[in-house]
Amino acid sequence: MRLRALLETDALGLRLLGGEDELDRGVRGVMTTDLRDPSRYLSGGELVLTGLAWRRTAADSEPFVRILAGAGVAGLAAGEAELGNIPGDLIEACSRHRLPLFAVNESVAFATITEHVVRQVSGERAGDLAAVVDRHRRLMTSGPAGGGPEVVLDLLGSDLDLRAWVLSPTGRQIAGAGDPLPGEVSATLAGEHLAATRTGRRGPHRATVHGVTYSLFPIRNDGRGAAPASRDVRETVLSDWLLAVEADAGDWPAARLDLLQGVTQLIAVERDRREAARTVRRRLAQEVLELVQAGAAPAEIAARLRVAAPVLLPGLGTAPHWQVVVARVDWGQDGAPGTAGAVGTGGTAIEAGPVAQSLLEEILVDPGAAGPDSADRIAVAHTGDEAIALLPLPATALDPDTPEAGSSEAGLHADALLLSVRDPLSAGLADDGRLTLGVSAAVSSAEGLRGALEEARHARRVAAARPGRVCAAGHHELASHVLLLPFVPDDVRRAFTARLLDPLRDYDQRHRAELIPTLEAFLDCDGSWTRCATRLHLHVNTLRYRVGRIEQLTGRDLSRLEDKLDFFLALRMS
């Protein structure tokens, strides 16, 4: 359909503000957004609807319009409900970039325009799509009367006898009609979908679990699941939703496939709405993070936390405890994992921070929680290649037996984070990606937040030193200095162990004196002569002779704590 046809439809309440010469542009879809940079969700040809919540000053219009024009959208429609008249700076920016601009009367819901565009674009090619969309204007309306994606899934069941569910990339159920999918099944389907997407296969993807066949449709793709060529799939594969339909779409006619593609476009409106709702929480987390990293006074950080607490935990009477979770997604090149900022197919670097941010927002949701609004307690910022979550903990989240902040039992645990999502995420990371997470202890005040951030970062580095595609470490694992050993450079490790242990190994080879086993046993017995002699079945005098020989060969004194510690570390690193 053409933009001109939309303008001529009185029921849509559109008024042209600029771009009359461009009204013959084709419209392939519709997107609602109030993000300042929605580029990752654009593939070209969309009519973009916005309530202008992204605009804070006149200077914001130019970059917003430049992004839309660069993405090749068909036009921009701005609602008048928020600001009244459309700002002149937006009109001028659209004129400079030759982007058609419409004003949407405040009496017209964006859902009305969305429905009309979707019906015109895909309804003409699939009669059963019209049966779904035409009869249910409430599908994407806001407020209590709107049903969101649950309604369209109900309609797929009642009108087309199709059971379907909307799943997150970790397999969490966001919407569904009838009985929910078992957690094992949904996680398997998510993994199958991610694996197929990473190989570049066109959707829908077919998967069979426990003898039941499902067809998996990407939620944000055009052209029957084909990803836009301008985007590297790694930028979105770990954050996009999918539609799982209990049927084998391989036998479907083209009209039925077009139907499901139209349905995914409708559900994408809900996804965009959720992204817009996260903006406030992300901004709060970013502000707190910047204060903490800048070394701001605790009083200033505490004031910002007091603002964040009611947003993240409505109705909370007292200030919560806080935990920090740090995540990083590293993409490698040519099958080599672990390189941040990998270069994508278009020749540009993949921004790891936003990918980790979206993924961490999903991981932190209780896997048993359903619905798109279950992440309301999660505030995630990103800086560089890291995503950093500020997680408030109400009193009920602290273990009743250990309620103090900093308790090893309080709040979120690293292993629990990945328990149900490790398999699907590993499929999405494929052969060139890694996800590592670190979790801090709970802190009860602004003074502890900087330490919690450093603790979470250090725990993430511990996780990064472990093998595997998806790894996490918690604050309780940092208690032992042994965990620092993986971070010692190889050349330092070799020099340190050689200086202390090589003289003992050489002596053992020449004299079969067993000085190395004696040293290990002596340290294991905390320097107790009696216990060590008993363990080695030696006379104490024999043990004293061996220890004396160790000290003579190395120039160390095993009665000194520093020398005992050096020997202990050398043995662990050898």
Side-chain angles (χ1 to χ4, degrees):
M1 66 177 303
R2 305 292 176 184
L3 285 174
R4 190 180 306 279
L6 293 176
L7 186 62
E8 294 171 351
T9 305
D10 294 337
L12 299 184
L14 296 177
R15 188 173 77 258
L16 183 65
L17 300 179
E20 184 174 0
D21 295 339
E22 306 292 333
L23 290 180
D24 287 328
R25 291 187 180 187
V27 179
R28 296 197 298 112
V30 64
M31 175 190 175
T32 302
T33 185
D34 276 313
L35 297 175
R36 302 184 72 168
D37 181 2
S39 57
R40 63 181 300 194
Y41 306 120
L42 298 172
S43 57
E46 299 94 340
L47 174 66
V48 174
L49 307 176
T50 180
L52 299 179
W54 51 266
R55 183 186 178 276
R56 301 175 190 172
T57 68
D60 292 334
S61 292
E62 168 63 25
F64 181 79
V65 173
R66 185 171 62 249
I67 288 169
L68 299 188
V73 305
L76 174 64
E80 295 180 320
E82 182 74 18
L83 301 179
N85 293 331
I86 305 304
D89 48 271
L90 181 60
I91 297 175
E92 293 172 4
C94 288
S95 176
R96 281 194 298 272
H97 291 278
R98 301 181 61 85
L99 181 66
L101 175 64
F102 303 89
V104 182
N105 190 283
E106 61 179 343
S107 64
V108 178
F110 282 176
T112 300
I113 301 173
T114 298
E115 175 201 336
H116 180 84
V117 172
V118 171
R119 183 177 66 240
Q120 294 299 318
V121 170
S122 54
E124 297 170 357
R125 296 171 298 170
D128 47 0
L129 174 60
V132 174
V133 178
D134 244 356
R135 292 173 43 219
H136 297 276
R137 183 178 297 270
R138 73 184 188 278
L139 180 63
M140 286 298 157
T141 57
S142 60
E150 299 283 357
V151 172
V152 73
L153 299 184
D154 283 334
L155 295 173
L156 287 176
S158 61
D159 289 18
L160 304 175
D161 197 26
L162 292 174
R163 298 180 66 204
W165 301 264
V166 177
L167 304 178
S168 78
T170 65
R172 183 175 62 87
Q173 181 170 310
I174 294 166
D179 296 333
L181 282 173
E184 175 195 355
V185 174
S186 59
T188 300
L189 293 178
E192 293 278 352
H193 173 73
L194 292 174
T197 302
R198 285 303 313 275
T199 63
R201 285 163 43 200
R202 295 169 61 91
H205 309 125
R206 184 178 181 274
T208 301
V209 183
H210 301 324
V212 180
T213 298
Y214 301 86
S215 295
L216 311 175
F217 293 81
I219 290 283
R220 206 179 293 276
N221 287 18
D222 294 326
R224 297 185 192 171
S230 60
R231 274 185 357 202
D232 191 296
V233 69
R234 291 176 292 182
E235 293 182 359
T236 58
V237 67
L238 297 177
S239 59
D240 281 348
W241 293 353
L242 66 133
L243 178 67
V245 181
E246 190 180 298
D248 188 349
D251 299 329
W252 287 0
R256 179 61 64 91
L257 290 172
D258 285 339
L259 159 68
L260 268 295
Q261 184 60 35
V263 168
T264 62
Q265 292 173 359
L266 288 172
I267 297 173
V269 176
E270 181 64 36
R271 175 61 195 266
D272 293 338
R273 182 180 299 166
R274 186 182 78 157
E275 286 296 316
R278 283 179 168 175
T279 302
V280 173
R281 299 194 299 276
R282 286 174 171 175
R283 189 180 305 151
L284 286 171
Q286 195 71 42
E287 291 173 354
V288 173
L289 174 63
E290 290 172 357
L291 290 174
V292 170
Q293 295 192 130
E300 187 177 359
I301 299 174
R304 181 53 53 188
L305 289 176
R306 284 194 293 272
V307 173
V311 175
L312 302 177
L313 288 176
L316 187 69
T318 58
H321 291 70
W322 300 89
Q323 267 184 295
V324 175
V325 182
V326 173
R328 179 171 171 139
V329 175
D330 291 316
W331 297 111
Q333 302 177 48
D334 298 325
T339 304
V343 177
T345 55
T348 57
I350 300 170
E351 291 187 73
V355 176
Q357 182 182 43
S358 296
L359 185 55
L360 188 53
E361 285 170 333
E362 173 60 35
I363 290 174
L364 290 174
V365 179
D366 181 350
D373 299 324
S374 53
D376 286 347
R377 287 179 46 219
I378 298 164
V380 182
H382 74 82
T383 174
D385 293 323
E386 282 185 336
I388 301 170
L390 188 65
L391 190 68
L393 300 173
T396 54
L398 299 178
D399 188 274
D401 296 324
T402 54
E404 295 299 322
S407 162
S408 62
E409 300 299 322
L412 197 64
H413 286 254
D415 291 341
L417 276 180
L418 301 179
L419 188 62
S420 61
V421 303
R422 191 184 304 271
D423 289 343
L425 291 184
S426 295
L429 293 164
D431 294 329
D432 59 351
R434 285 200 78 204
L435 166 67
T436 52
L437 298 100
V439 183
S440 79
V443 297
S444 59
S445 64
E447 288 86 348
L449 208 54
R450 182 164 186 164
L453 175 58
E454 290 306 314
E455 190 173 59
R457 280 176 166 161
H458 188 62
R460 192 207 64 78
R461 288 193 290 270
V462 169
R466 296 170 175 169
R469 291 282 165 201
V470 182
C471 297
H475 60 93
H476 59 283
E477 298 181 67
L478 303 181
S480 173
H481 57 276
V482 179
L483 289 174
L484 298 177
L485 299 184
F487 304 104
V488 178
D490 288 342
D491 55 343
V492 175
R493 182 194 303 262
R494 286 191 294 269
F496 183 73
T497 57
R499 186 169 64 251
L500 281 177
L501 300 183
D502 279 3
L504 305 183
R505 292 192 180 106
D506 292 343
Y507 191 87
D508 280 348
Q509 287 178 354
R510 293 197 308 269
H511 302 285
R512 298 182 182 179
E514 298 187 352
L515 295 185
I516 292 289
T518 300
L519 176 62
E520 291 176 333
F522 186 72
L523 294 176
D524 285 345
C525 293
D526 299 323
S528 170
W529 297 100
T530 303
R531 283 194 288 123
C532 184
T534 301
R535 175 183 293 189
L536 296 176
H537 306 289
L538 297 175
H539 193 278
V540 172
N541 288 342
T542 304
L543 176 61
R544 290 185 184 277
Y545 172 81
R546 290 187 182 181
V547 170
R549 179 62 67 183
I550 292 171
E551 293 174 335
Q552 180 184 15
L553 292 170
T554 61
R556 299 300 184 104
D557 183 355
L558 276 168
S559 66
R560 298 178 66 248
L561 176 61
E562 293 87 345
D563 289 340
K564 286 180 182 177
L565 180 57
D566 282 350
F567 278 121
F568 174 80
L569 293 175
L571 289 169
R572 291 301 183 273
M573 288 191 291
S574 64

